[in-house]
Amino acid sequence: MSVFSVDGSGPVVVVRARTRSLAPAPCTGCGTPSGWCHSRYVRRLGDTSLGDRAVLIELSVRRLYCENAACEKVTFAEQVPGLTVRYQRRTPLLQQVVEAAGVLLAGRGGARMLSVLNVTLSRCTVLSQLMRMPLPTLVTPRVLGVDDFALYSDTYGTLLVDATTRLPLTLWEGRDAEQLSRWLREHPGVEIVCRDGSLTYRQGIAVGAPEAMQVSDRFHLWQGLSRRVQDIAAAHRSCLPTALLPTEEADPAPDEEATENAAADTRAEQHAKRLFQAVHTLTGSGRSYSAVARELGLDRRTVGKYARARNWQEVVRRPPRKPSTLDPYRDYLQQRWDQGEHNAMILHQELRTKGYLGHYQRVKMAIAPLRRGLPLDQPRERPPSPRETACWITSHPDHRGLHVTHRLHRLLDHCPELKHTHDLVRRFAAMLANRDAAPLPAWLDELSHSGLPPLAGIAGALREDQHAVTQGISTTYNSGVNEGRITDVKLQKRLMAGRAGVPLLRHRVVLIAHLRRRYAGRPTTAPR
């Protein structure tokens, strides 16, 4: 029976012990059992903390001769199962804690968490222990998910996920077809591959696994169509004010010439008008977008935005007016002003008796136009933005509110292009809901002949990938698990402040998923 000595006088609890067994121990080099003792030596092992104190185990073990003459080792130290590991100064239990901290929190965060547990390690040591952990054995999945993610500013990476087990397999820097095809050739047996509409991944899968069925993800199909709808709404921006309530649409919408000659009141509008005129003057003379951008000191995308706009009003940012808690009391303010009460403090006190909970400054700012002889600023509804219009068109009719439904009907009645777009979108939504890809060829033909360039463009892209699109519509396979894992990749990048290299990021993404799976079924509290 072993004798333990505990010294609790200092900040560290020291446990002194020695092995008493005389049984032969296997050689660490050849495995031959030996009981021929050479000497003893003391091993110092760190263990998990006891209360608020660190624990150090001073264990005296035997050093034995190896009785195998052919073995390279002359002597070896006996190992205590569950307590010692070769070349390690931590017990297996403490090593598991260190590895878990590294997997979950990376270097600096893991070191801080371990310091709370009275384990002093540097962040470099935590990362070193993390990178020593072997990755799980990779089993070729039957259903593979492929997607890209932003690694650095202009650098992207590729993530592979087992769509059946929902666990990440690996990731690497870049999203070229050669890397994907090489991985598929090294891991034969993939039958189904879920991806987005990327031409690069399509080519890589066709070369690396030509027998695999490619599935274009439903979410990316719908997302691509929604962006084209937004482009169409932006091209018909002049029609969007017709979606307002009848009281607001009584005034006729200004024509394009009147809009172009409208005065620019604010500095932002004046700046937009000057840039619009400068960009159109230079592009009208045959200059390229890049040349115009260099001359005006603008980004090329900004030049393209101004060049595609039909008038300067399209590029002015007009944030919608947010509802105010003072809106229900504006009529009362106008009434009291007409009665001769011009003191903002008194008006604020009167409004508080009527239930107004806002600040005095809001009342003071509300009656400021009245002091200048201007009418009281009344809340008014702004026309929907192209993005908002696209959201109306792509949302399910049952999910639209009554107000949105009325506004959308007025807009579609006024603009036949948007109405035609709405009809085509609802037909594609019906294909997705019913998982019926039979109407797809006729629907693509209608897109091509719709007379709307955004829809004609997406029709050509979908027709090139029609087989994968058909599988995405008619089967249950999708890239939902890929998107979830990419969200986890972004979280791990943020924990490491975006400075992690690809090997470290791969280790953490793969190991943390398996660690969560391992502890997912365990109870969080002790049974009563």
Side-chain angles (χ1 to χ4, degrees):
M1 183 175 182
S2 299
V3 178
F4 294 90
S5 175
V6 180
D7 181 10
S9 58
V12 180
V13 177
V14 180
V15 180
R16 297 185 178 92
R18 60 178 290 153
T19 58
R20 293 296 183 89
S21 176
L22 300 178
C27 174
T28 56
C30 62
T32 303
S34 174
W36 185 8
C37 183
H38 171 274
S39 61
R40 281 185 172 271
Y41 87 106
V42 178
R43 295 189 61 176
R44 290 173 174 82
L45 305 170
D47 198 9
T48 54
S49 60
L50 179 63
D52 60 345
R53 295 185 178 184
V55 175
L56 178 64
I57 300 177
E58 295 183 353
L59 179 64
S60 175
V61 296
R62 294 178 297 167
R63 181 173 292 278
L64 305 171
Y65 286 103
C66 181
E67 301 180 11
N68 183 7
C71 181
E72 296 180 355
K73 287 185 173 292
V74 178
T75 63
F76 64 93
E78 66 175 334
Q79 303 295 329
V80 180
L83 186 61
T84 62
V85 179
R86 293 182 65 194
Y87 308 117
Q88 187 166 290
R89 296 187 177 183
R90 286 181 289 272
T91 63
L93 181 59
L94 180 58
Q95 181 66 18
Q96 291 180 6
V97 174
V98 173
E99 293 176 350
V103 170
L104 295 173
L105 301 174
R108 196 178 301 274
R112 290 172 178 170
M113 176 56 69
L114 290 174
S115 66
V116 176
L117 301 176
N118 297 302
V119 180
T120 304
L121 289 177
S122 68
R123 61 183 179 87
C124 296
T125 303
V126 175
L127 291 179
S128 175
Q129 297 300 316
L130 168 62
M131 296 304 295
R132 287 175 53 187
M133 297 178 62
L135 292 176
T137 304
L138 197 152
V139 179
T140 302
R142 174 178 171 270
V143 183
L144 177 68
V146 183
D147 209 344
D148 60 349
F149 63 95
L151 192 59
Y152 308 116
S153 57
D154 295 326
T155 305
Y156 287 81
T158 299
L159 176 67
L160 303 186
V161 182
D162 187 341
T164 304
T165 62
R166 310 180 72 86
L167 291 174
L169 300 175
T170 185
L171 60 87
W172 60 74
E173 182 177 349
R175 50 179 178 180
D176 56 300
E178 177 60 29
Q179 287 179 296
L180 179 58
S181 62
R182 187 188 312 118
W183 190 93
L184 290 172
R185 287 193 297 268
E186 295 173 354
H187 302 84
V190 177
E191 300 179 9
I192 302 171
V193 183
C194 302
R195 56 166 176 81
D196 57 11
S198 172
L199 177 61
T200 301
Y201 290 149
R202 186 197 318 170
Q203 295 173 346
I205 298 168
V207 174
E211 298 84 6
M213 181 181 70
Q214 300 190 35
V215 179
S216 186
D217 181 50
R218 300 159 60 91
F219 167 76
H220 290 93
L221 293 175
W222 189 255
Q223 185 183 52
L225 181 60
S226 301
R227 289 174 178 172
R228 301 311 190 280
V229 173
Q230 183 174 343
D231 294 339
I232 296 174
H236 295 80
R237 189 185 294 266
S238 58
C239 299
L240 302 185
T242 60
L244 299 179
L245 295 175
T247 56
E248 297 181 343
E249 67 177 5
D251 297 332
D255 56 7
E256 186 174 351
E257 182 178 359
T259 303
E260 177 65 26
N261 298 328
D265 298 330
T266 65
R267 286 194 297 179
E269 293 176 348
Q270 295 171 3
H271 176 72
K273 187 174 183 180
R274 286 195 302 268
L275 282 184
F276 175 82
Q277 295 172 350
V279 169
H280 276 261
T281 300
L282 294 175
T283 55
S285 61
R287 307 280 293 277
S288 65
Y289 287 178
S290 300
V292 175
R294 287 192 296 268
E295 181 169 344
L296 297 180
L298 301 174
D299 189 88
R300 187 179 183 278
R301 290 174 293 183
T302 304
V303 174
K305 181 180 69 172
Y306 276 86
R308 290 189 297 269
R310 293 180 299 177
N311 50 66
W312 61 267
Q313 284 85 352
E314 293 186 8
V315 292
V316 177
R317 295 182 180 179
R318 295 186 178 90
R321 181 187 181 279
K322 296 182 179 179
S324 170
T325 56
L326 190 60
D327 290 344
Y329 305 98
R330 291 183 181 273
D331 293 339
Y332 179 78
L333 286 178
Q334 183 67 53
Q335 176 186 353
R336 294 291 290 137
W337 184 273
D338 295 339
Q339 294 174 357
E341 183 55 69
H342 298 171
N343 190 309
M345 184 65 71
I346 296 177
L347 291 174
H348 177 255
Q349 294 175 355
E350 293 179 1
L351 291 181
R352 288 182 63 86
T353 61
K354 293 183 174 294
Y356 175 65
L357 301 178
H359 196 268
Y360 154 76
Q361 289 293 339
R362 189 178 294 274
V363 179
K364 181 180 178 180
M365 294 174 60
I367 64 175
L370 298 177
R371 298 187 186 278
R372 300 193 300 268
L374 301 176
L376 193 65
D377 184 21
Q378 294 293 334
R380 56 189 178 89
E381 211 170 5
R382 290 189 179 275
S385 64
R387 183 175 181 179
E388 188 178 5
T389 304
C391 182
W392 293 351
I393 293 176
T394 56
S395 61
H396 194 277
D398 296 340
H399 298 163
R400 303 172 190 154
L402 185 60
H403 180 60
V404 170
T405 301
H406 291 335
R407 298 182 72 181
L408 181 59
H409 286 170
R410 287 192 295 269
L411 177 59
L412 299 183
D413 292 341
H414 180 270
C415 184
E417 290 82 3
L418 288 177
K419 180 175 178 57
H420 187 39
T421 303
H422 175 267
D423 296 340
L424 292 173
V425 168
R426 297 319 321 157
R427 288 176 55 187
F428 186 71
M431 283 189 276
L432 292 177
N434 300 329
R435 300 192 183 279
D436 181 14
L440 181 62
W443 183 77
L444 293 176
D445 293 338
E446 289 196 34
L447 289 186
S448 303
H449 299 90
S450 63
L452 300 171
L455 294 184
I458 194 175
L462 295 180
R463 189 173 281 110
E464 293 177 0
D465 197 22
Q466 187 169 344
H467 179 71
V469 173
T470 302
Q471 299 299 328
I473 295 175
S474 57
T475 63
T476 59
Y477 301 109
N478 58 77
S479 298
V481 61
N482 301 26
E483 299 298 332
R485 287 302 174 188
I486 287 177
T487 302
D488 188 58
V489 170
K490 296 177 181 177
L491 172 62
Q492 308 314 322
K493 285 177 52 185
R494 294 189 186 99
L495 287 177
M496 296 182 286
R499 295 176 293 187
V502 174
L504 176 58
L505 184 62
R506 181 190 304 114
H507 249 71
R508 292 199 60 231
V509 168
V510 174
L511 291 176
I512 199 171
H514 286 79
L515 186 65
R516 290 169 179 165
R517 182 67 58 87
R518 185 190 310 166
Y519 291 100
R522 298 190 179 182
T524 57
T525 58
R528 298 181 180 178

